[in-house]
C-alpha cells in the first residue's frame, strides 16, 4: 500500500455546529485539503488505528468523491474495518442502527441534512460515537482543537473502490465491507411496530403519500411501506436519491415540502402525508387538510405508547429540547414519567438515553426518536403514527384533537428569519442579553414578563456544562418566547423565534395557530426589535 503523508495547513473555521460541520459544497470541493483536514482531525481524535467505523451519506452532490477520499484516508490511517452502505448511501438513523448492531467505534455521515444540496448548496460531515449518536461536545471540541493544529494528513494512493455491490474487500490491513443500507434498519422497525396491524390498515384502503424529496429515504420507504407493509406502489414519491435532490429542498416543512402540502390540502387528499429530510432523521406528518405540529407530534407519540409493540411496557421518561413546546411535559406529568429539557441538538439526548433515563425524545424541528437508536428517526416517527392509526381506527386529525381535549393545546409556532447579516443577528442577541435583567416586570399590552434568562444546561449524567443556548422569556400566563441563532446554516445567520401559549379551553382550541398567537408574535418582535435589527418585516419560514 502506497501511503502518502500530505503536508497541510490548519483551518480556523472547522468548528462543528448543532449537527456536524456544514459549509457550502464549494468550500469542501475547492478549498484544498478542507475535507481531508477535518477527517484527519476526527481520526486523530479517536485514534482510528484498529477501529471500526460505519460510513455513508445521503447521496448529495460531492458524496461519492468525498467517500472515496475518506476510505483512502481510513486505509492509510490503518482503520480495522469500514462498513459502508452500498453505493455509499446511508440515512443518519440507519448509520446509528449499524454502529450499535456491529458495536462499531463510531460512524461518519456525509450530509448537510435539511440544507439544500448541489454545487451551489451545502455539504456536511456528521461524526457519531460508539453509542450510535452524534458526538457530544467534549468530542466535537476535541476534533475542533485538532483541526487547528494539523500539519499533515495520511492518504493511500490507489484507485477508487467499487461500492456498487455488497461484499468484503481488503486494502492493506483495512477491511472495506459494503453492506445493504436498508435491511437492518427495516428489520428493526419490524421489531418495534405492529406491522400486521399496519398492513391491514393499508389493505382496508388507507392512503399514505410519502415524499422522500429525492433524498436518501426513498429506498427505505419503498422497502418498508410498499414491500413489507403492502401499501400500494406509488405511495413513495420522489423516491430516487438524487445528487441535487432533483431541485427540491429536502426540508420537510410547510414551506419546502410544498407539493405534498398542496396535495394534502386538496379536496381528495390521502389519509396521511409524510416527508423526511435529506438524511432521513426528520419527519413531517399531515392528515387530510391537517398539519401536525412536531411539538404536538412527540407528545402524542408519548401519550399513546401503550398502543405500540415496542413501547407498551412503558416509558422510562421523556425529553425535549428547550425550544420544543411543553406539550410533552404535560403528557409526562399526567402519566407519571420523568421529563427532561435539553439544549437544541440530538447530541444532548445521548447521555439520558444511554443511562436509561428516557425512552422517547423529540425536538420542535420535525425530529422525534427513541432509545432504539441514538438519532432522531424520520421513518420511525411515521411508522409510530401509522401504528397509532391502525390500532385506534381514527384519523390523524381525530387523534390530535382528542389529545388537545385531554391534555390541553399548546399553541406553538416557530418563525425563522433566514439570511440575516451575521453582525446584525449577533447585535440582536447581544442586545437581548444586555437587557435580560430589566425585562421582568415589563408590561406589553395584556402580557407581563415574569422571567427571562439565557438558557444554560448541565447534563445530569456527564455534568458537562453548555452555555448560551437561547434567550427565554416567560410571561405571566406561562406563555413563552424564545430566541436563538441557528447552528446549522452556512450563509449569514438565521434567527429562530419560538412562541408558545397553552389553551385548556376546548372551545378555543380550534383557532388557527398564527391567529391564536398573533399578540405574542407582535410582542416577540417588539421585545427583540426584530425588524430594526434585521431589516426584515416578516419571517422567511413559518412553522
Ligand atoms: C436545527 C434544529 C435542531 C436540529 C438540528 C439538526 O438546528 O433546530 O433542532 O437538531 O437542526 O437537525 P439549528 O441550530 O439550525 O436550529 V438535522 O436533521 O439538520 O441534522
Ligand atoms: Co437531518
Amino acid at each position: 500500500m502506497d501511503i502518502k503523508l500530505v503536508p497541510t495547513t490548519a483551518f480556523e473555521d472547522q468548528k462543528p455546529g448543532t449537527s456536524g460541520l456544514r459549509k457550502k459544497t464549494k468550500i469542501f470541493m475547492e478549498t484544498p485539503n478542507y475535507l481531508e483536514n477535518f477527517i484527519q482531525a476526527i481520526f486523530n481524535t479517536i485514534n482510528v488505528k484498529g477501529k471500526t467505523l460505519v460510513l455513508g451519506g445521503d447521496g448529495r452532490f460531492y458524496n461519492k468523491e468525498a467517500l472515496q477520499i475518506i476510505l483512502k484516508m481510513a486505509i492509510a490511517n490503518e482503520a480495522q474495518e469500514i462498513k459502508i452502505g452500498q453505493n455509499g448511501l446511508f440515512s443518519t438513523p440507519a448509520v446509528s442502527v449499524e454502529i450499535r448492531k456491529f458495536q462499531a467505534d463510531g460512524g461518519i455521515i456525509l450530509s448537510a441534512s435539511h440544507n439544500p444540496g448541489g454545487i451551489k448548496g451545502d455539504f456536511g460531515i456528521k461524526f457519531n460515537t460508539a453509542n450510535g449518536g452524534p458526538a457530544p461536545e467534549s468530542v466535537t471540541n476535541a476534533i475542533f482543537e485538532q483541526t487547528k493544529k494539523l500539519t499533515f494528513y495520511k492518504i493511500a494512493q490507489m484507485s477508487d473502490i467499487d461500492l456498487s455491490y455488497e461484499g468484503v474487500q481488503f486494502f492493506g490491513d483495512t477491511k472495506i465491507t459494503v453492506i445493504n443500507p436498508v435491511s437492518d434498519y427495516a428489520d428493526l422497525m419490524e421489531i418495534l411496530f405492529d406491522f400486521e396491524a399496519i398492513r391491514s390498515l393499508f389493505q382496508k384502503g388507507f392512503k399514505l403519500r410519502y415524499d422522500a424529496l429525492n433524498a436518501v429515504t426513498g429506498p427505505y420507504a419503498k422497502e418498508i411501506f410498499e414491500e413489507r407493509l403492502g401499501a400500494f406502489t406509488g405511495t413513495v414519491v420522489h423516491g430516487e436519491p438524487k445528487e441535487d435532490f432533483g431541485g427540491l429542498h429536502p426540508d420537510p416543512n410547510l414551506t419546502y415540502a410544498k407539493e405534498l402540502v398542496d396535495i394534502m390540502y386538496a379536496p381528495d387528499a390521502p389519509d396521511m402525508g409524510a416527508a423526511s429530510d435529506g438524511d432521513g432523521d426528520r419527519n413531517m406528518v399531515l392528515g387530510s387538510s391537517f398539519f401536525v405540529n412536531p411539538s404536538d407530534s412527540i407528545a402524542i407519540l408519548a401519550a399513546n405508547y401503550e398502543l405500540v409493540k415496542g413501547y407498551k411496557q412503558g416509558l422510562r421518561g421523556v425529553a425535549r429540547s428547550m425550544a420544543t413546546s411543553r406539550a410533552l411535559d404535560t403528557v409526562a406529568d399526567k402519566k407519571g414519567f420523568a421529563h427532561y429539557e435539553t439544549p437544541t441538538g440530538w447530541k444532548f439526548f445521548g447521555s439520558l438515553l444511554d443511562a436509561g433515563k428516557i425512552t422517547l425524545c423529540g425536538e420542535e424541528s420535525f425530529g422525534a426518536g427513541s432509545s432504539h437508536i441514538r438519532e432522531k428517526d424520520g421513518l420511525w416517527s411515521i411508522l409510530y403514527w401509522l401504528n397509532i392509526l391502525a390500532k385506534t381506527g381514527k384519523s390523524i386529525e381525530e387523534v390530535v384533537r382528542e389529545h388537545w381535549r385531554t391534555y390541553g393545546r399548546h399553541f406553538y409556532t416557530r418563525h425563522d428569519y433566514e439570511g440575516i447579516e451575521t453582525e446584525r443577528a449577533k447585535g440582536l442577541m447581544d442586545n437581548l442579553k444586555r437587557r435580560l435583567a430589566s425585562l421582568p416586570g415589563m408590561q406589553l399590552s395584556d402580557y407581563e414578563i415574569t422571567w427571562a434568562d439565557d438558557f444554560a444546561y448541565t447534563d445530569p449524567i456527564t455534568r458537562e456544562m453548555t452555555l448560551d443556548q437561547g434567550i427565554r422569556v416567560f410571561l405571566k400566563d406561562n406563555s413563552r418566547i424564545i430566541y436563538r441563532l441557528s447552528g446549522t446554516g452556512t450563509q449569514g445567520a438565521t434567527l429562530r423565534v419560538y412562541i408558545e401559549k397553552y389553551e385548556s379551553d376546548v372551545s378555543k382550541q380550534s383557532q388557527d395557530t398564527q391567529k391564536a398567537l398573533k399578540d405574542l408574535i407582535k410582542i416577540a418582535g417588539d421585545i427583540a426589535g426584530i425588524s430594526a435589527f434585521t431589516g426584515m418585516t416578516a419571517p422567511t419560514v413559518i412553522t
Side-chain angles (χ1 to χ4, degrees):
M1 200 42 58
D2 181 8
I3 307 296
K4 198 169 156 196
L5 290 185
V6 183
T8 187
T9 38
F11 295 98
E12 291 296 318
D13 68 342
Q14 295 197 319
K15 188 173 172 56
T18 312
S19 178
L21 181 70
R22 281 185 205 178
K23 298 283 172 193
K24 289 276 157 220
T25 311
K26 277 200 163 182
I27 293 184
F28 279 102
M29 291 178 73
E30 293 174 2
T31 312
N33 305 335
Y34 199 81
L35 170 79
E36 290 84 346
N37 273 26
F38 192 69
I39 297 298
Q40 189 66 50
I42 295 174
F43 288 173
N44 290 353
T45 304
I46 64 167
N47 195 7
V48 78
K49 185 175 176 179
K51 303 265 164 77
T52 294
L53 295 180
V54 178
L55 174 65
D58 65 3
R60 72 178 59 215
F61 191 73
Y62 194 53
N63 244 289
K64 284 195 183 125
E65 294 82 349
L67 286 168
Q68 292 294 338
I69 292 170
I70 295 170
L71 287 171
K72 291 172 193 176
M73 289 183 66
I75 292 164
N77 283 276
E78 299 171 73
Q80 182 180 329
E81 184 179 1
I82 304 293
K83 288 187 185 287
I84 182 165
Q86 192 174 13
N87 296 315
L89 289 179
F90 252 135
S91 75
T92 290
V95 166
S96 193
V97 169
E98 305 295 8
I99 293 173
R100 295 169 70 78
K101 174 177 171 182
F102 293 109
Q103 297 180 321
D105 299 289
I108 294 174
I109 305 152
L110 300 186
S111 174
S113 209
H114 62 290
N115 298 24
I119 180 82
K120 292 189 178 142
D122 295 344
F123 189 79
I125 303 173
K126 299 184 179 193
F127 176 65
N128 287 20
T129 48
N131 71 347
E137 293 209 314
S138 53
V139 177
T140 55
N141 288 340
I143 294 171
F144 182 46
E145 291 309 314
Q146 281 289 326
T147 64
K148 291 191 286 190
K149 59 180 190 212
L150 272 189
T151 52
F152 68 90
Y153 65 84
K154 285 190 200 176
I155 188 159
Q157 304 294 296
M158 56 186 279
S159 49
D160 283 356
I161 298 170
D162 186 355
L163 304 175
S164 63
Y165 59 91
E166 289 172 43
V168 176
Q169 308 167 60
F170 279 93
F171 302 92
D173 289 335
T174 305
K175 183 173 164 187
I176 306 288
T177 310
V178 178
I179 57 179
N180 179 312
V182 174
S183 52
D184 287 333
Y185 177 84
D187 291 350
L188 178 58
M189 294 303 118
E190 226 167 316
I191 293 170
L192 297 174
F193 299 108
D194 197 333
F195 271 39
E196 263 319 304
I198 302 174
R199 206 173 289 127
S200 70
L201 182 73
F202 283 126
Q203 261 159 18
K204 285 183 222 142
F206 182 91
K207 274 202 171 164
L208 165 69
R209 182 181 176 92
Y210 177 79
D211 196 332
L213 299 170
N214 292 321
V216 79
T217 54
Y220 295 85
K222 281 186 200 159
E223 168 68 17
I224 294 170
F225 298 136
E226 296 183 7
E227 299 300 325
R228 299 198 188 190
L229 289 168
F232 75 93
T233 313
T235 294
V236 178
V237 297
H238 299 126
E240 292 295 327
K242 293 191 179 151
E243 286 199 334
D244 64 348
F245 304 126
L248 298 176
H249 181 166
D251 193 354
N253 63 30
L254 296 171
T255 304
Y256 297 123
K258 188 169 184 316
E259 183 191 290
L260 177 68
V261 173
D262 288 347
I263 288 170
M264 292 310 297
Y265 278 84
D268 53 351
D271 301 292
M272 177 172 176
S276 285
D277 69 333
D279 62 333
D281 53 0
R282 297 184 177 208
N283 77 93
M284 176 168 70
V285 168
L286 298 153
S288 307
S289 302
F290 194 84
F291 168 66
V292 183
N293 187 289
S295 287
D296 279 345
S297 183
I298 176 70
I300 291 166
L301 302 187
N304 289 284
Y305 73 93
E306 280 150 322
L307 302 174
V308 181
K309 188 167 81 173
Y311 302 94
K312 64 171 176 238
Q313 297 79 358
L315 307 181
R316 286 164 177 260
V318 294
R320 61 166 173 84
S321 65
M322 179 272 279
T324 305
S325 96
R326 291 161 293 180
L328 180 62
D329 304 18
T330 309
V331 172
D333 287 338
K334 270 213 171 170
K335 299 254 181 197
F337 312 135
H339 56 89
Y340 299 84
E341 182 178 46
T342 60
T344 295
W346 212 260
K347 58 187 166 204
F348 296 104
F349 294 131
S351 59
L352 293 167
L353 289 162
D354 286 349
K357 297 280 185 205
I358 58 170
T359 308
L360 294 191
C361 44
E363 295 190 277
E364 49 65 41
S365 54
F366 299 88
S370 89
S371 52
H372 69 295
I373 53 174
R374 295 294 180 270
E375 286 281 3
K376 57 186 184 272
D377 190 343
L379 286 166
W380 171 91
S381 313
I382 294 157
L383 285 164
Y384 203 127
W385 265 101
L386 281 166
N387 203 141
I388 293 173
L389 301 179
K391 288 285 183 168
T392 59
K394 291 182 182 142
S395 72
I396 289 179
E397 180 167 352
E398 284 165 347
V399 171
V400 177
R401 289 195 186 281
E402 190 177 307
H403 186 88
W404 292 341
R405 279 196 297 277
T406 312
Y407 296 95
R409 177 172 183 188
H410 291 255
F411 280 103
Y412 182 85
T413 191
R414 181 175 109 184
H415 285 201
D416 293 332
Y417 296 79
E418 299 168 308
I420 309 172
E421 235 175 78
T422 310
E423 285 314 309
R424 286 177 163 224
K426 279 200 181 129
L428 181 148
M429 293 301 289
D430 288 344
N431 175 52
L432 270 174
K433 282 177 203 167
R434 263 197 309 277
R435 291 169 38 231
L436 266 184
S438 67
L439 289 178
M442 195 174 177
Q443 190 76 35
L444 298 130
S445 59
D446 294 344
Y447 292 88
E448 184 188 328
I449 299 178
T450 50
W451 173 257
D453 69 1
D454 188 347
F455 183 60
Y457 178 69
T458 304
D459 187 302
I461 312 298
T462 64
R463 308 311 297 173
E464 267 179 47
M465 268 232 345
T466 311
L467 304 173
D468 205 18
Q469 292 300 306
I471 300 296
R472 305 192 286 184
V473 176
F474 294 91
L475 300 149
K476 204 167 194 172
D477 68 345
N478 206 21
S479 295
R480 265 194 334 173
I481 300 168
I482 292 152
Y483 306 86
R484 62 178 282 281
L485 297 183
S486 158
T488 57
T490 58
Q491 205 163 27
T494 294
L495 169 70
R496 303 202 196 284
V497 185
Y498 311 82
I499 297 161
E500 177 190 359
K501 181 188 171 77
Y502 181 67
E503 182 57 75
S504 58
D505 182 345
V506 178
S507 72
K508 293 185 186 157
Q509 288 175 353
S510 292
Q511 294 173 78
D512 169 75
T513 303
Q514 299 305 312
K515 281 197 189 120
L517 297 174
K518 194 165 153 267
D519 293 347
L520 278 174
I521 292 167
K522 167 145 191 338
I523 289 172
D526 292 346
I527 295 174
I530 294 178
S531 58
F533 274 101
T534 66
M536 295 162 87
T537 50
T540 45
V541 176
I542 294 181
T543 298

